[in-house]
Amino acid sequence: EAGVAQSPRYKIIEKRQSVAFWCNPISGHATLYWYQQILGQGPKLLIQFQNNGVVDDSQLPKDRFSAERLKGVDSTLKIQPAKLEDSAVYLCASSLGSDEQFFGPGTRLTVL
Amino acid sequence: AQSVSQHNHHVILSEAASLELGCNYSYGGTVNLFWYVQYPGQHLQLLLKYFSGDPLVKGIKGFEAEFIKSKFSFNLRKPSVQWSDTAEYFCAVREEAAGNKLTFGGGTRVLVKP
């Protein structure tokens, strides 16, 4: 079965620029997650979708981060404007119900 | 809020040595527990999980973990490591009362010398 797809794999931008990441979950997985993993730390959940509805976005910095999953399949995460501290790997994961989460390869963002 | 602590940030050991990685969590209610592994250049993948039942769970590649509820711990073990076990290991906890949200520990980088 195809895994979670993410693009781009790498992105370098300057602070105050905007950036968007894309994720396509495993087919049939209703739940989609975006995590931020700062170097040397574990992944931190930013937002969780159940189909196209938001379940948990309590740790999403809503002044600059936004995410959508309009048709309940793929999702985009946007940062506008980016700050230096946003440099991290952004991971997308999906799950079928409340079982194991499957992770994508991540997008490594560097903000200069 | 839930917190997950992994005691060692870096571990270096030789092939055939035994490995034990510590994981402690803070939440006292019903939890599901996971160990994920990230091999160099690869994405996070599940090593093993505990939901209920026998507190000693076995995962892939000879790994096992023991859930000790009284100690809020879920330590990962492998009796004899191989060079291919070089990776970063993450403990994660899900509170059943908090939906499907995972809280991860900071990770432990394991280097196995051939």
Side-chain angles (χ1 to χ4, degrees):
Chain A
E1 115 189 316
V4 176
Q6 290 188 246
S7 67
R9 293 294 310 276
Y10 305 91
K11 190 73 177 179
I12 300 174
I13 61 172
E14 294 186 349
K15 59 183 179 183
R16 292 188 290 272
Q17 286 187 321
S18 302
V19 65
F21 313 127
W22 174 82
C23 171
N24 189 273
I26 292 173
S27 178
H29 281 195
T31 311
L32 185 147
Y33 316 80
W34 283 102
Y35 289 86
Q36 179 193 57
Q37 185 176 14
I38 293 172
L39 187 64
Q41 299 180 20
K44 182 185 81 172
L45 181 70
L46 291 175
I47 188 167
Q48 176 184 340
F49 291 94
Q50 180 75 18
N51 296 309
N52 60 350
V54 175
V55 174
D56 184 345
D57 63 357
S58 57
Q59 297 189 94
L60 186 74
K62 297 178 186 65
D63 57 334
R64 298 183 301 104
F65 286 64
S66 64
E68 59 184 15
R69 194 184 184 200
L70 293 175
K71 296 182 180 178
V73 181
D74 56 352
S75 175
T76 55
L77 175 70
K78 297 179 182 178
I79 308 175
Q80 179 179 6
K83 293 185 175 181
L84 296 177
E85 59 260 37
D86 299 332
S87 293
V89 176
Y90 291 85
L91 297 167
C92 180
S94 69
S95 69
L96 187 65
S98 60
D99 206 348
E100 175 188 352
Q101 294 183 24
F102 293 83
F103 285 81
T107 296
R108 184 177 297 276
L109 173 67
T110 302
V111 182
L112 303 176
Chain B
Q2 176 69 261
S3 67
V4 181
S5 299
Q6 292 184 238
H7 312 301
N8 306 97
H9 295 295
H10 294 91
V11 172
I12 301 173
L13 60 168
S14 299
E15 278 193 309
S18 64
L19 173 70
E20 180 160 1
L21 303 181
C23 173
N24 285 90
Y25 61 94
S26 61
Y27 181 66
T30 301
V31 294
N32 303 142
L33 300 158
F34 304 80
W35 276 96
Y36 279 84
V37 61
Q38 187 167 24
Y39 297 104
Q42 298 187 26
H43 54 270
L44 275 168
Q45 54 189 285
L46 184 69
L47 205 51
L48 49 78
K49 61 186 177 183
Y50 172 78
F51 280 18
S52 64
D54 187 346
L56 183 63
V57 293
K58 297 192 183 297
I60 60 172
K61 303 186 180 185
F63 284 89
E64 64 179 30
E66 185 175 13
F67 170 50
I68 303 179
K69 188 174 182 179
S70 60
K71 295 184 177 181
F72 299 92
S73 71
F74 190 55
N75 293 353
L76 181 71
R77 298 193 292 254
K78 185 170 183 177
S80 176
V81 295
Q82 301 173 311
W83 175 78
S84 58
D85 294 320
T86 293
E88 190 160 16
Y89 294 81
F90 293 93
C91 180
V93 176
R94 180 174 68 201
E95 301 169 33
E96 285 202 345
N100 209 22
K101 175 182 176 179
L102 282 179
T103 301
F104 282 84
T108 299
R109 286 187 181 271
V110 174
L111 173 63
V112 180
K113 298 184 295 183

